[in-house]
Amino acid sequence: MAQPAAARKPVILVLGDSLSAEYGLKRGEGWVPLLEKRLAQQKVDATVVNASISGDTSSGGRARFAALLAQHKPSHVVLELGANDALRGLPLTDTEANLLQITQSAQAAGAKVLIVGIQVPPNYGGDYTRRFEAVFAKVASTTKSALVPFLLKGVADAPNAMSLFQADRIHPTAAAQPQLLDNVWPELRKLLAAK
């Protein structure tokens, strides 16, 4: 017989792209491995599954998600997808529909969801930039999910921002990863504490 969710050890599934998959970093330097360390330091007994793939889009995540749900049975899902949709110029309606489907599937399986937003550079144009940013808030509001508005807050908008990015100017350096974790942690901690 399955244990009730409250009695089970939390399983945090991170479904993301290169920003969560340690692109260009040594293993263990990314914000997701740092999350594992923080959970241990805070005496939170939880398993972290990093199912992030560099280059993944929201549709790629949606296609993979049912199998991940079945395999890992997460209690919490951190959804960090959408940046590659913008880089490829995919329709915002598709991104929104994919994030909505992933979130609703997770919730139907009993998982709490934390949506992690991203912003695109201003060279995409003001209208697109605003509409893209709004997608994450809209999905969070529609599904009553937790939201981190901007994963790269304190990095992309820091006075020394260029020094916090790898040579491609897209992926944060190892030095920036603790800030990414600090952006995610307050909302995730609340979800972990909620019964």
Side-chain angles (χ1 to χ4, degrees):
M1 196 169 113
Q3 286 181 295
R8 281 192 303 127
K9 177 171 154 176
V11 175
I12 303 164
L13 177 72
V14 181
L15 183 66
D17 51 35
S18 55
L19 296 173
S20 300
E22 296 189 292
Y23 178 89
L25 304 173
K26 289 191 194 118
R27 299 288 296 157
E29 288 183 337
W31 75 265
V32 179
L34 295 179
L35 168 62
E36 293 186 74
K37 289 181 183 150
R38 181 162 298 176
L39 289 164
Q41 287 163 353
Q42 306 259 340
K43 310 256 186 295
V44 178
D45 186 19
T47 300
V48 177
V49 176
N50 193 352
S52 303
I53 296 178
S54 291
D56 208 4
T57 58
S58 63
S59 63
R62 180 177 178 172
R64 296 189 295 125
F65 192 58
L68 290 168
L69 261 185
Q71 181 183 354
H72 300 290
K73 299 181 176 44
S75 55
H76 298 77
V77 173
V78 178
L79 179 54
E80 181 275 304
L81 286 171
N84 290 308
D85 296 38
L87 291 174
R88 294 175 192 192
L90 301 176
L92 292 176
T93 50
D94 290 0
T95 302
E96 183 181 324
N98 291 329
L99 296 177
L100 194 59
Q101 176 61 43
I102 294 167
T103 302
Q104 289 171 333
S105 297
Q107 290 174 329
K112 294 183 173 77
V113 180
L114 173 57
I115 294 169
V116 179
I118 194 75
Q119 294 172 10
V120 291
N123 59 318
Y124 280 74
D127 179 57
Y128 183 87
T129 303
R130 279 189 298 276
R131 288 190 304 124
F132 180 76
E133 188 180 342
V135 163
F136 303 96
K138 186 174 175 190
V139 172
S141 171
T142 300
T143 59
K144 297 185 172 43
S145 299
L147 174 69
V148 172
F150 186 30
L151 177 62
L152 302 181
K153 185 169 175 50
V155 176
D157 54 2
N160 60 333
M162 279 301 108
S163 70
L164 296 172
F165 282 88
Q166 298 173 38
D168 63 9
R169 297 185 171 189
I170 293 173
H171 297 97
T173 61
Q177 299 299 313
Q179 179 62 50
L180 271 60
L181 175 58
D182 285 344
N183 292 338
V184 172
W185 177 246
E187 291 301 325
L188 182 57
R189 184 178 53 196
K190 279 188 233 167
L191 284 187
L192 287 166
K195 292 298 172 212

